[in-house]
Amino acid sequence: MPNPRPKTKHLPKQQTQWQHLPTKAIRVPALLSDRLLQIAKVLDRYQEPPAHALIGAELEFIQLVEQLHTLSIDELTQLQQALPLILEQKFHDQSRC
């Protein structure tokens, strides 16, 4: 039997982790659920979601940038030192084409 006037003052207030509200529960195949949730979280990080759906290389690039945030300062410094050489090689390869 439903409680018409439940007492909720003692319950902790939950904070949503989603930036864009309201949220909606959807049914998706279990096999795809983790990947779709990951994509939704990436899209939600933007103030305004992109007008087009992110696919392929665009999504991979966003995920790569997000992974950079997990690196330590030492790892980021190593990456900073390696990037000029990588860029030089890429520009050289591109100019040969």
Side-chain angles (χ1 to χ4, degrees), residues 16 18 20-29 33 36-37 40:
T16 181
W18 294 103
H20 296 90
L21 298 174
T23 59
K24 179 179 181 179
I26 60 171
R27 291 175 59 104
V28 296
S33 64
L36 291 172
L37 183 58

Side-chain angles (χ1 to χ4, degrees), residues 7-15:
K7 295 180 181 176
T8 60
K9 289 182 182 178
H10 67 284
L11 297 175
K13 302 293 183 223
Q14 293 184 347
Q15 293 285 67

Side-chain angles (χ1 to χ4, degrees), residues 37-81:
L37 183 58
Q38 180 184 22
I39 291 169
K41 286 180 179 181
V42 168
L43 291 172
D44 188 56
R45 287 193 180 100
Y46 291 97
Q47 285 292 62
E48 293 185 25
H52 65 285
L54 296 174
I55 56 172
E58 293 171 320
L59 182 58
E60 289 176 14
F61 178 76
I62 290 171
Q63 290 170 335
L64 175 64
V65 171
E66 288 180 344
Q67 288 175 0
L68 291 175
H69 290 281
T70 66
L71 297 178
S72 69
I73 292 176
D74 290 338
E75 291 168 323
L76 288 169
T77 303
Q78 290 174 2
L79 180 60
Q80 184 180 26
Q81 292 170 351

